Amino acid sequence: MQTKQIRLRRIQNLAYDIMAEMNSKEELKKSDSYRSVIDHLSRAIGELSDPSGDYSLDYVEEKVGTAHYKIFKNMKKLTPLRKTQ
């Protein structure tokens, strides 16, 4: 698999983790970090939805990684993202 595809797959897995955690915990919806997580994810989606297809994979990784960290507080899961660059 190409490096870009690997990076996108890892981003996708982080996003799935975030969705599962946010849907399973009611208290997350009441916290301030909830808004921040949504903000980071919406920025990542906005970048990926550029009609010209010109997006920054680094930016998307950063935003999804930050959202993931805000929920799980675990940098260990984010280290593979940095190794593939």
Side-chain angles (χ1 to χ4, degrees):
M1 218 187 267
Q2 295 177 338
T3 304
K4 184 177 178 180
Q5 290 172 322
I6 292 170
R7 290 170 71 188
L8 286 170
R9 178 69 60 185
R10 288 186 179 142
I11 291 167
Q12 184 181 43
N13 288 335
L14 290 176
Y16 287 152
D17 285 351
I18 292 166
M19 285 188 315
E21 189 71 13
M22 290 182 81
N23 286 327
S24 70
K25 300 209 175 181
E26 191 62 36
E27 66 270 7
L28 274 176
K29 295 178 182 174
K30 296 175 184 172
S31 72
D32 288 334
S33 65
Y34 183 73
R35 289 186 113 166
S36 180
V37 168
I38 291 172
D39 180 58
H40 285 287
L41 292 176
S42 65
R43 289 172 188 265
I45 291 167
E47 180 74 8
L48 283 172
S49 64
D50 183 358
S52 69
D54 185 32
Y55 60 89
S56 167
L57 193 52
D58 291 334
Y59 181 83
V60 173
E61 278 181 330
E62 176 191 339
K63 293 301 173 189
V64 173
T66 301
H68 192 274
Y69 177 77
K70 286 184 177 290
I71 291 177
F72 294 99
K73 305 289 189 228
N74 186 355
M75 286 301 288
K76 222 175 185 182
K77 272 203 129 174
L78 302 180
T79 53
L81 293 175
R82 300 294 176 222
K83 289 180 182 177
T84 58
Q85 289 181 349

